[in-house]
Amino acid sequence: MTGLHRPGPGDTAATETHRAIEAVWRIESAVLIARLARIVGDIGTAEELAQDALVAALEQWPASGVPEQPGAWLMGTAKHRAIDLVRRRQTLERKHEEIGREVERAQEGIDDAATDEEVEDDLLGLIFMACHPILSKDARVALTLRVLGGLTTEEIARAFLVPVSTIAQRIVRAKRTLTEAHVRFEFPVGPDRVARLASVLEVIYLIFNEGYSATAGEDWVRPALCEDALRLGRILAELATTEPEVHGLVALMEIQASRLRARVGPSGEPILLLDQDRARWDHLLIRRGLASLDRADRLGGEIGPYALQAAIAACHARAATAAETDWPRIVALYDAVAVMAPSPVIELNRAVAVGMAFGPAAGLALVEALAAEPSLKTYHLLPAVRGDLLRKLGRSAEALIEFKRAASLTENGAERKLLHRRAAECAADGMAG
């Protein structure tokens, strides 16, 4: 929300109204900004108009009460301002016919309710605009959480453990870049659609991953970010119903999110997958994830990397115990991912699966082959995986060194404690031997 002064604790009615406004904003802001962006043509102006409507609500609703249709009230207020803005622009330059038609439509009925199809088109346009490949990953993530997630700059900064000024700059620069590049408000078609959709999916999964396994800070998981990503993914799945990879990504996030409660212990300490209490997994999320994976499969076409990774997650979800995990199938799925979306991180994950399916020596051989990979030089999971495989082979002294190196590389406090504990276990192995 904005930085406006909130009512004091003694003003109960105003406090309740303020809470209602916050709830309405969370629900309605994405649609509001999307429809305004179609009228005025850019995200920055659309968000400013939406914020103006929000300020009007904060000023008026405590006295007048929350309207029966608060979303329509906000849209009507913002549309009036948008029309005035477009009129002012029209005195300076000839506007596109599309904007003119939208203004006429808005003038015919300010309070008219958009059809479901119109709302869906507007949301899709906003998603593809905020996630445009012209923007950096960090900028896409910040802008998406701001205009689609309804998060404040402060909330985004807190979630990613960076200064508020950094997030504010990313959002401002992103809006400026989109405006200067004349990025259109549209649902891309043709050859451009594949690249644009890939950019959208990447942003949503980046948000989810930061919540699922935080890269920095003291908490290993940040469930609120996972929830934001899941909400965005589910919205996209409802809008792009015929895109298999959209459903594949939703399946992957649903199944991974099902483990969140089991990933941390009573004191917030990390619990690795094979040590988790599977009774604590959320089986409703698992069922939803498997249904999304089935939906992606039924749509046909070439299976994509998100759907393949969802199939890997499904192997874990279907196993009643860690011992029942179908590791050979997981290896085969990683083989397919490595062909479709090759990366050193995928190869490292594949090495873990090979180690589980065919023994630690086989997995270690693959890890050793990755040792010289430049992009993994400071990646803490490389020595962590090597340490795990070495310990399984009885080479605890070498494993201890690897776990200590992994601990020195991670920026996450909870994970650092876990790695130090594993190093201590290796030291104990040596003493016992």
Side-chain angles (χ1 to χ4, degrees):
M1 300 254 307
T2 66
L4 294 179
H5 176 69
R6 293 172 181 264
D11 192 349
T12 305
T15 301
E16 290 301 319
T17 302
H18 205 107
R19 287 175 181 159
I21 294 171
E22 287 183 338
V24 169
W25 180 255
R26 290 282 188 184
I27 295 168
E28 301 288 348
S29 61
V31 173
L32 183 63
I33 294 170
R35 295 194 69 197
L36 291 168
R38 182 177 291 280
I39 296 173
V40 298
D42 70 86
I43 286 180
T45 304
E47 195 195 2
E48 288 175 12
L49 290 166
Q51 287 287 338
D52 287 345
L54 175 62
V55 170
L58 288 166
E59 292 173 345
Q60 297 177 36
W61 292 4
S64 64
V66 179
E68 287 187 14
Q69 295 182 304
W73 190 98
L74 289 170
M75 184 63 71
T77 301
K79 266 192 173 184
H80 275 299
R81 295 170 189 261
I83 291 167
D84 289 342
L85 176 65
V86 173
R87 280 174 175 160
R88 289 197 299 271
R89 286 179 177 177
Q90 286 177 325
T91 64
L92 301 174
E93 59 176 317
R94 188 179 183 84
K95 303 306 293 179
H96 294 298
E97 186 179 335
E98 178 184 347
I99 293 178
R101 283 199 304 269
E102 183 63 40
V103 172
E104 288 174 11
R105 194 174 126 224
Q107 287 171 314
E108 287 170 5
I110 291 300
D111 296 323
D112 62 326
T115 66
D116 289 343
E117 186 176 347
E118 288 171 333
V119 170
E120 290 175 1
D121 287 346
D122 288 346
L123 278 173
L124 268 178
L126 184 62
I127 290 171
F128 277 90
M129 201 174 201
C131 297
H132 198 286
I134 198 173
L135 303 175
S136 69
K137 287 182 184 179
D138 288 342
R140 280 181 275 157
V141 166
L143 187 59
T144 298
L145 285 172
R146 174 76 178 201
V147 300
L148 284 154
L151 274 65
T152 65
T153 305
E154 292 77 11
E155 287 170 330
I156 300 168
R158 194 159 56 245
F160 285 89
L161 303 178
V162 296
V164 173
S165 59
T166 300
I167 295 297
Q169 288 171 4
R170 286 176 188 171
I171 293 171
V172 168
R173 288 171 184 164
K175 293 175 184 175
R176 185 187 305 132
T177 299
L178 292 173
T179 300
E180 291 175 351
H182 304 291
V183 172
R184 292 192 301 167
F185 185 89
E186 63 182 356
F187 178 55
V189 295
D192 191 38
R193 183 183 62 82
V194 176
R196 295 284 298 278
L197 181 61
S199 178
V200 171
L201 297 179
E202 180 185 39
V203 167
I204 294 174
Y205 196 45
L206 280 170
I207 295 169
F208 181 86
N209 265 339
E210 187 57 33
Y212 187 75
S213 186
T215 55
E218 294 304 314
D219 297 323
W220 201 36
V221 298
R222 297 187 195 129
L225 275 177
C226 292
E227 291 168 10
D228 286 325
L230 270 170
R231 184 159 56 89
L232 290 171
R234 289 166 183 161
I235 290 171
L236 185 60
E238 290 301 315
L239 300 177
T241 57
T242 61
E243 297 288 347
E245 267 294 77
V246 172
H247 300 293
L249 174 60
V250 171
L252 175 58
M253 294 191 298
E254 299 271 17
I255 296 172
Q256 287 185 319
S258 73
R259 307 179 202 140
L260 281 171
R261 287 181 304 192
R263 293 195 83 223
V264 292
S267 303
E269 68 274 16
I271 301 177
L272 300 177
L273 176 61
L274 299 184
D275 299 324
Q276 290 171 15
D277 177 0
R278 299 187 178 215
R280 298 194 67 206
W281 287 1
D282 187 326
H283 293 279
L284 173 60
L285 282 177
I286 290 173
R287 287 194 296 274
R288 291 183 62 157
L290 294 176
S292 293
L293 184 58
D294 181 62
R295 190 173 182 182
D297 185 57
R298 283 187 282 108
L299 283 170
E302 185 179 27
I303 188 168
Y306 291 112
L308 284 170
Q309 290 178 79
I312 292 169
C315 288
H316 294 296
R318 292 187 175 111
T321 66
E324 296 175 45
T325 307
D326 188 349
W327 287 106
R329 172 163 171 74
I330 291 176
V331 172
L333 289 166
Y334 268 123
D335 288 342
V337 177
V339 170
M340 184 165 293
S343 81
V345 172
I346 290 295
E347 290 297 337
L348 183 61
N349 291 338
R350 179 176 172 275
V352 172
V354 167
M356 295 299 297
F358 306 114
L364 184 60
L366 296 176
V367 172
E368 301 287 18
L370 293 169
E373 173 59 46
S375 63
L376 297 181
K377 284 291 185 184
T378 58
Y379 188 53
H380 69 283
L381 290 183
L382 178 62
V385 169
R386 189 167 187 271
D388 184 65
L389 293 168
L390 285 168
R391 190 181 182 202
K392 288 177 179 177
L393 290 168
R395 296 160 60 179
S396 294
E398 295 172 79
L400 183 151
I401 295 171
E402 295 299 318
F403 284 129
K404 283 187 174 181
R405 172 166 169 73
S408 72
L409 291 174
T410 183
E411 295 182 22
N412 183 278
E415 193 167 26
R416 188 179 304 113
K417 290 177 184 176
L418 169 66
L419 292 164
H420 279 309
R421 190 178 77 233
R422 300 200 73 189
E425 290 168 354
C426 291
D429 291 342
M431 292 174 65

